């Protein structure tokens, strides 16, 4: 461990995390009313054990790599058997958007797979009752200069392993060292713990502030300057002025649709994978003006102009969070437009 079990055959693209990490252990609280009964072994029940074996983790990634048919046929039901959480929401958005485009504008689907020989597995030990999950880092490129963090979790109902997050890392060299025990297994961390410099709630606020204000309120305080943080701030800077004097754009935080978070212990704190949701509200500044939906918006909005539109984005993020009171590092993120609607005749934002 780390087991080197999948490199994509195509360049990695930004995608974008997340299942609950800090569930409490289940213990047997039945009363022992008979002297003949054997007392339950609560100590064994609370001992963290690996979420699954390295071989099983490799099989789960291989199984996910076989979902090309679901994408090629835009089969939502089949895709639902191998994806979950924000990853599934993003894929559904991709399918809906593609179906609304003229066939001439649709990019042909290119099959891909993860190369297990270029993938490191990070399997946490979990207590009884915690949802099973694991992470992996897969690399690609002639010098393995591209890296993507994967998170797969077991669906508690179907018991199938699903991809719930895929996040490309802007600079693989910034990935922190994940702590492994003598058997090669990782340690799960409570991402909401105050033992971290930035619990996940703080990370949510800082990420959405990067979009909303360019990081001026909390984003630049919580995060050190990285390529990822700068990309989010660039979205704010370039988008808020795109209409000039005829329109305005304002970003806002939205209650996350997917609240599950994954975190692994590192030598300096934790690697945290989480999901956030934000909105973008575009509006004209004077009566008589209208915004024409762009072609990739038409799956939700059609072609009718409107004085205002509100877009919803589902995103996955990954951050290196220290245990000391130092800034965190945002390492990668990916978003998809997952909803949009006309916001009415008002020109206010």
């Amino acid at each position: 461990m780390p087991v080197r079990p999948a490199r994509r055959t195509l360049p990695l693209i930004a995608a974008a995390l997340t299942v609950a990490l800090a569930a409490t252990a289940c213990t047997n609280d039945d009363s022992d009313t008979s002297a003949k009964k054997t007392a339950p072994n609560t100590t064994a029940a609370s001992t963290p054990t690996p979420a699954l074996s390295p071989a099983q983790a490799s099989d789960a990634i291989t199984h996910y790599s076989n979902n090309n048919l679901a994408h090629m046929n835009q089969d939502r039901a089949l895709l639902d058997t191998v994806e979950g959480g924000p990853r599934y929401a993003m894929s559904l958005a991709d399918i809906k958007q593609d179906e609304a485009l003229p066939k001439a504008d649709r990019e042909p689907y290119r099959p891909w797979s993860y190369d297990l020989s270029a993938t490191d597995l990070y399997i946490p030990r979990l207590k009884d009752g915690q949802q099973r999950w694991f992470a992996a880092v897969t690399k690609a490129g002639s010098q393995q200069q591209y890296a993507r963090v994967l998170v797969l979790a077991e669906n508690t109902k179907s018991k199938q392993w699903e991809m719930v997050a895929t996040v490309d890392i802007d600079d693989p060299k910034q990935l922190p060292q994940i702590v492994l025990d003598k058997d090669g297994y990782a340690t799960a961390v409570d991402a909401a713990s105050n033992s971290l410099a930035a619990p996940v709630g703080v990370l949510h606020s800082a990420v959405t502030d990067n979009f909303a204000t360019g990081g001026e309120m909390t984003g630049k305080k919580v995060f050190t300057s990285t390529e990822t943080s700068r990309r989010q701030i660039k979205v704010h800077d370039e988008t808020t002025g795109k209409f000039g004097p005829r329109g305005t754009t304002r970003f806002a935080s939205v209650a996350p649709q997917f609240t599950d978070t994954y975190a692994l212990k590192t030598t300096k704190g934790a690697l945290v994978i989480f999901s956030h949701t934000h909105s973008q509200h575009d509006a004209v500044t004077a009566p008589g003006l209208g915004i024409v939906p762009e072609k990739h918006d038409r799956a939700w909005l059609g072609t009718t102009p409107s004085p205002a539109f509100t877009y919803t984005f589902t995103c996955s993020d990954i951050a290196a969070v220290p245990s000391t009171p130092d800034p965190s590092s945002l390492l990668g993120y990916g978003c998809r437009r997952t909803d949009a609607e006309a916001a009415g005749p008002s020109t206010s934002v």
Side-chain angles (χ1 to χ4, degrees), residues 264-342:
L264 295 171
K265 184 178 180 180
T266 66
T267 55
K268 296 184 178 180
L271 183 69
V272 182
I273 305 101
F274 60 101
S275 177
H276 86 268
T277 307
H278 69 262
S279 65
Q280 174 187 327
H281 183 78
D282 291 352
V284 299
T285 54
L289 297 177
I291 302 171
V292 179
E294 297 181 357
K295 68 177 184 179
H296 290 106
D297 302 327
R298 293 173 186 169
W300 292 270
L301 301 173
T303 59
T304 304
S306 175
F309 292 116
T310 298
Y311 310 90
T312 302
F313 294 87
T314 298
C315 310
S316 288
D317 311 80
I318 184 168
V321 182
S323 55
T324 56
D326 294 318
S328 300
S329 297
L330 197 60
L331 306 180
Y333 86 98
C335 296
R336 291 288 192 280
R337 182 189 295 99
T338 51
D339 195 13
E341 61 180 358

Side-chain angles (χ1 to χ4, degrees), residues 27-268:
T27 57
N28 185 346
D29 60 355
D30 291 338
S31 299
D32 185 0
T33 58
S34 171
K36 296 182 180 181
K37 291 183 178 180
T38 302
N41 187 350
T42 56
T43 301
S46 63
T47 301
T49 57
L52 73 177
S53 70
Q56 290 171 324
S58 297
D59 288 343
I61 294 175
T62 299
H63 178 67
Y64 175 74
S65 296
N66 293 332
N67 79 72
N68 285 290
L69 186 62
H71 283 283
M72 292 176 72
N73 296 334
Q74 297 187 328
D75 187 333
R76 293 166 172 79
L78 181 58
L79 191 64
D80 191 28
T81 66
V82 291
E83 290 188 350
R87 178 64 264 161
Y88 181 56
M90 294 180 192
S91 292
L92 288 183
D94 287 342
I95 292 174
K96 182 172 182 177
Q97 181 173 289
D98 191 57
E99 288 176 339
L101 293 173
K103 289 187 177 181
D105 292 341
R106 301 178 189 178
E107 294 185 8
Y109 183 80
R110 296 180 295 175
W112 55 269
S113 65
Y114 287 114
D115 179 4
L116 294 179
S117 67
T119 298
D120 296 333
L121 294 176
Y122 297 100
I123 301 172
R125 291 183 180 274
L126 303 172
K127 294 182 179 180
D128 185 24
Q130 288 182 291
Q131 185 173 11
R132 297 201 298 162
W133 66 275
F134 71 95
V137 178
T138 185
K139 300 175 183 178
S142 58
Q143 298 180 339
Q144 294 193 341
Q145 66 270 34
Y146 305 111
R148 169 175 287 182
V149 174
L150 315 175
V151 177
L152 289 91
E154 184 184 50
N155 185 303
T156 54
K157 294 182 179 179
S158 67
K159 300 303 179 181
Q160 293 180 328
W161 286 90
E162 298 175 341
M163 186 73 71
V164 295
T166 60
V167 190
D168 291 337
I169 304 300
D170 282 313
D171 184 359
K173 295 179 182 179
Q174 292 182 322
L175 272 171
Q177 182 178 350
I178 296 173
V179 174
L180 302 176
D181 63 21
K182 61 182 180 62
D183 297 315
Y185 292 104
T187 300
V189 175
D190 180 1
S193 172
N194 288 326
S195 64
L196 296 176
V200 67
V202 175
L203 297 179
H204 274 127
S205 298
V207 165
T208 53
D209 182 63
N210 280 346
F211 290 100
T213 73
E216 295 303 321
M217 298 295 290
T218 60
K220 292 179 180 179
K221 296 176 182 178
V222 173
F223 295 122
T224 187
S225 181
T226 62
E227 174 62 25
T228 305
S229 290
R230 291 191 292 270
R231 282 201 296 125
Q232 291 184 342
I233 292 171
K234 185 178 180 180
V235 170
H236 166 271
D237 294 344
E238 293 185 349
T239 307
T240 52
K242 68 180 181 179
F243 293 124
R246 295 190 173 189
T248 58
T249 294
R250 188 170 292 178
F251 292 95
S253 175
V254 177
Q257 180 182 0
F258 304 102
T259 58
D260 295 334
T261 303
Y262 307 87
L264 295 171
K265 184 178 180 180
T266 66
T267 55
K268 296 184 178 180

